[in-house]
Structures are given as C-alpha cells and as structure tokens.
Amino acid sequence: MKYAENIQQVAALQPDYLGFIFYEKSKRNFEGIIPELPKSIKKVGVFVNEYLEILVSLVEEYQLDAVQLHGDESVEYVKELQIQLSERRALFIEENKHQKKEKNKHFISDEKVEIIKVFGIKDEFDFDVLKPYLDFVDYFLFDTKGKERGGNGVQFDWKVLEKYPFEKPFFLSGGIGLSDIEEVEKIVNSDLPIYALDVNSKFENEPGVKKIEEIKKFKKSLTV
C-alpha cells in the first residue's frame, strides 16, 4: 500500500494484513502517514536487508504488527531482531503503564510483533535452508524469485511446495490474480500449512495503487 485514500478503500474490504514497503529501491516505497485502520487489520512493514536499528525504529514509529524480511537476512539477524522487538516492546509497556490504556491500546497487548521471512522460489527449492530459521520466525513467505525483490507479477511452480516438510505455516505469494482462483482453492485445501495469501501486483493499476473492485471480486470468489 502507498496512498492514503487507496489504503482506506482496501481496508474497507477487511483484509487480515496490509503491507507497507520500506525499501527506497522499490516502486512501492512507502513515505507518509498510515491512516487510522480497523484494529483487526495488521500493519506489515516490508524490509530488505535493513539496519536493525532503523527497522526497529520504524516498527515503533508506525506501530507495525509484523515485519516481512524480503532480503538476505541471516539467522543471526532474525534472532537479534526477535530479541530487540521483544525488549523494546516490554520497555515501552513498562514506561507507559501508568498512562491511560486507551492512549496506548495498540501496545498494551499480549501480541508480539510477528516476523515473516521471505524466500524466493523458481523451479526448485532446498527446504533445508529453512531449518535454522524455524525457532525465530512466525511464518515463512514463498514468493517467485525474479529481478525485483517481490512484486514481479509472476507465479512459481506451486508443485515445488508439495515437498515442504515443516509444520511452520507460510504465506503463499507470487503473481496471484483473479484467473488463479481455482488453483488457489486447490492448494489451500491441500495438507500444506498455508496461513495466508499475499496478493499485490496482479491487482494494481500502477505500483502501489490497488484495483478495489477486482480485490473485492477475488475475496468474494474464494470459498476457502
């Protein structure tokens, strides 16, 4: 998401997550103010090999509910991020415990900031590379490996996922559009631990501007 009016239009459709890209090289790089959103919608910050200090500060500034790591972040990076997010949240709550709960209701919660680690897939994938991350991420996200760090609008071969060996839930991404509803329903109804669908470029008029009616149709058409 990128523009306030479009953000509010998509939010009215009640998605579970809305993504905001904090990566200057992206055509969808977000700069501005996120409008007030329903509490049911989680705000996701998308980052690419960002300095930890900057990432954590942006989580606090925008009150993000999740971070999506779309770069080459190491296990050590993710582990340290998990620690810092936990410590900063605990400190914030302690410092503000005497404030009115209404003022800090976003943070006075048992919910921690979710960590989503992205891996690109083309024709094959070695799932062993995921093992070291299992204890430090909440979800994986599988996208199509391409020239851009996401938003390529191209789908990878979902049959590769049949070999996914873990119980860790994941987001399915990569060029999902209206024409894919039948295939989406098939894979979501399989035994794979698919937690969410990540849609983006196939529902855009231009980078960061979503087609509201098409998203509405996509959501309505899904029976899963």
Side-chain angles (χ1 to χ4, degrees):
M1 302 309 304
K2 192 170 182 179
Y3 304 103
E5 183 179 357
N6 196 232
I7 291 169
Q8 291 171 323
Q9 290 173 331
V10 175
L13 302 180
Q14 291 292 312
D16 298 295
Y17 293 82
L18 278 180
F20 301 88
I21 296 176
F22 297 95
Y23 181 52
E24 290 184 356
K25 294 182 180 180
S26 172
K27 293 173 289 188
R28 302 174 182 86
N29 185 49
F30 183 79
E31 295 177 326
I33 298 173
I34 299 176
E36 186 73 21
L37 298 175
K39 298 306 177 185
S40 61
I41 299 176
K42 294 182 179 181
K43 293 178 287 188
V44 186
V46 181
F47 301 92
V48 179
N49 302 325
E50 184 59 89
Y51 289 110
L52 274 173
E53 295 79 6
I54 294 176
L55 191 159
V56 173
S57 69
L58 287 169
V59 168
E60 293 183 340
E61 180 181 348
Y62 288 96
Q63 298 185 2
L64 300 177
D65 302 285
V67 297
Q68 182 176 311
L69 305 176
H70 223 295
D72 308 302
E73 296 86 3
S74 67
V75 176
E76 291 74 21
Y77 177 101
V78 179
K79 181 179 180 180
E80 181 59 28
L81 173 61
Q82 184 188 63
I83 292 170
Q84 287 197 28
L85 288 174
S86 178
E87 289 180 346
R88 293 288 282 272
R89 178 182 171 279
L91 179 61
F92 183 92
I93 291 175
E94 177 63 25
E95 290 177 342
N96 292 275
K97 64 183 180 181
H98 299 302
Q99 299 290 332
K100 291 182 180 180
K101 285 190 176 182
E102 182 67 20
K103 179 181 178 182
N104 296 308
K105 59 185 177 181
H106 180 90
F107 289 92
I108 307 302
S109 166
D110 292 331
E111 300 296 324
K112 66 184 183 67
V113 177
E114 297 173 356
I115 298 177
I116 306 163
K117 182 68 185 83
V118 179
F119 289 89
I121 296 178
K122 195 172 184 182
D123 301 319
E124 56 185 24
F125 188 75
D126 179 10
F127 289 104
D128 284 342
V129 303
L130 306 180
K131 285 182 180 179
Y133 291 88
L134 288 171
D135 291 336
F136 308 111
V137 303
D138 297 282
Y139 308 101
F140 292 119
L141 184 151
F142 297 123
D143 198 359
T144 306
K145 183 178 289 186
K147 293 181 180 180
E148 303 291 336
R149 294 278 189 174
N152 290 285
V154 180
Q155 201 173 107
F156 66 90
D157 185 359
W158 290 352
K159 289 183 179 179
V160 175
L161 297 175
E162 293 175 0
K163 297 180 180 179
Y164 182 72
F166 308 113
E167 295 181 3
K168 179 74 68 177
F170 63 84
F171 287 57
L172 180 61
S173 186
I176 298 174
L178 276 173
S179 62
D180 302 306
I181 289 174
E182 186 175 339
E183 292 303 312
V184 166
E185 290 187 338
K186 284 181 183 179
I187 192 168
V188 171
N189 285 315
S190 69
D191 293 330
L192 290 168
I194 298 174
Y195 178 72
L197 299 174
D198 182 315
V199 299
N200 188 14
S201 56
K202 288 287 187 178
F203 292 91
E204 287 185 327
N205 287 312
E206 61 183 77
V209 181
K210 301 299 183 285
K211 299 177 181 179
I212 305 305
E213 291 305 314
E214 290 196 11
I215 295 176
K216 189 183 298 184
K217 184 177 179 180
F218 181 75
K219 186 177 180 182
K220 185 177 181 180
S221 298
L222 288 174
T223 59
V224 294

